[in-house]
Amino acid sequence: KAGVTQTPRYLIKTRGQQVTLSCSPISGHRSVSWYQQTPGQGLQFLFEYFSETQRNKGNFPGRFSGRQFSNSRSEMNVSTLELGDSALYLCASSFSGAQETQYFGPGTRLLVL
Amino acid sequence: EDQVTQSPEALRLQEGESSSLNCSYTVSGLRGLFWYRQDPGKGPEFLFTLYSAGEEKEKERLKATLTKKESFLHITAPKPEDSATYLCAVNSPYNTDKLIFGTGTRLQVFP
């Protein structure tokens, strides 16, 4: 069974630009979560989607947004990029939520210059 | 507020030298504790899920145990390929739809 896939794998942007990252969950999984990983803060929760609805959101500014489509694929968008947004963005999927095992994708490495 | 603390931050072992990694947690009712392994530049790879105190899970050289306050990841006779960062995360009713992660233990195993 195919794992979680994320595109693109690497991205370089400049301050002020916006970016969209994509995540395809494991087949049959309806919950998709996004995390930001930085050396200083570790893994921080961004938001979680289930059946196209955002159920929870972490402590990130409104520049970070996401959505989920009817096929459970998810996208996250970051507008007006800042240098501090440079990070590894990870997507994880599960059947119904974080109370069960979440499987992570390889991540998208974003560098903001 | 749910919290996860992992220790040590870094661990250097000789090949074959067994040891344990610790994950202490403070949650308002544990729903699940998860161990992941992460190699540099890659996403976390799932290892174990533990749900109740006393539960144990094993996989090759790794064994995870759970008490009411902490979890241990025991590594028996490690090999260089076990070198990675090991992450612990918890889920609770207070944080229903997300995992709270510790900062990880960076393990290096030398031949």
Side-chain angles (χ1 to χ4, degrees), chain A residues 9 33 35 37 41 43 45 48 55-58 88 90 97-107 109, chain B residues 31-32 34 36 38 41-46 48-49 51 87 91 94-103:
Chain A
R9 293 293 312 281
S33 299
Y35 295 83
Q37 187 175 32
Q41 298 296 318
L43 272 141
F45 172 78
E48 189 258 1
R55 295 195 296 191
N56 205 341
K57 191 177 193 304
L88 181 66
L90 293 160
Q99 69 276 12
E100 57 185 36
T101 301
Q102 291 188 326
Y103 295 90
F104 283 82
R109 172 74 63 185
Chain B
R31 278 190 171 173
F34 306 85
Y36 290 89
Q38 186 174 26
K42 297 187 177 181
E45 175 189 346
F46 169 71
F48 304 109
T49 303
Y51 289 108
L87 297 165
N91 179 256
Y94 182 76
N95 290 294
T96 303
D97 302 310
K98 62 183 179 182
L99 293 178
I100 304 299
F101 278 88
T103 52

Side-chain angles (χ1 to χ4, degrees), chain A residues 9-93:
Chain A
R9 293 293 312 281
Y10 305 94
L11 211 47
I12 300 176
K13 293 285 187 179
T14 56
R15 279 182 300 172
Q17 287 187 309
Q18 75 165 20
V19 66
T20 298
L21 312 181
S22 181
C23 170
S24 292
I26 291 171
S27 178
H29 286 189
R30 294 169 66 189
S31 169
V32 174
S33 299
W34 289 89
Y35 295 83
Q36 180 195 66
Q37 187 175 32
T38 59
Q41 298 296 318
L43 272 141
Q44 300 288 314
F45 172 78
L46 281 158
F47 28 66
E48 189 258 1
Y49 286 88
F50 181 83
S51 292
E52 302 178 66
T53 300
Q54 185 183 90
R55 295 195 296 191
N56 205 341
K57 191 177 193 304
N59 295 324
F60 281 83
R63 301 185 296 106
F64 291 81
S65 63
R67 59 178 177 169
Q68 186 181 34
F69 302 95
S70 58
N71 61 358
S72 294
R73 191 177 70 84
S74 177
E75 289 181 347
M76 69 163 281
N77 183 275
V78 188
S79 62
T80 319
L81 284 166
E82 300 178 359
L83 296 179
D85 296 333
S86 295
L88 181 66
Y89 290 89
L90 293 160
C91 163
S93 77

Side-chain angles (χ1 to χ4, degrees), chain B residues 13-19 61-62 74-80 82 109:
Chain B
L13 297 175
Q14 203 73 31
E15 185 173 2
E17 180 186 1
S18 301
S19 188
R61 296 178 292 282
L62 300 176
H74 307 279
I75 304 177
T76 302
K79 298 182 178 181
D82 294 322
V109 182

Side-chain angles (χ1 to χ4, degrees), chain B residues 14-67:
Chain B
Q14 203 73 31
E15 185 173 2
E17 180 186 1
S18 301
S19 188
S20 296
L21 282 55
N22 178 263
C23 171
S24 299
Y25 61 90
T26 305
V27 297
S28 51
L30 182 70
R31 278 190 171 173
L33 186 142
F34 306 85
W35 282 98
Y36 290 89
R37 167 196 169 123
Q38 186 174 26
D39 293 300
K42 297 187 177 181
E45 175 189 346
F46 169 71
L47 293 174
F48 304 109
T49 303
L50 301 166
Y51 289 108
S52 56
E55 192 174 357
E56 298 182 352
K57 296 262 180 87
E58 280 189 74
K59 178 182 178 181
E60 296 180 355
R61 296 178 292 282
L62 300 176
K63 179 180 177 180
T65 62
L66 181 65
T67 72

Side-chain angles (χ1 to χ4, degrees), chain B residues 9-13 21 75 78 82-86 105-109:
Chain B
E9 286 187 14
L11 183 62
R12 292 165 58 98
L13 297 175
L21 282 55
I75 304 177
D82 294 322
S83 297
T85 295
Y86 290 85
T105 293
R106 189 173 66 256
L107 174 66
Q108 291 179 295
V109 182

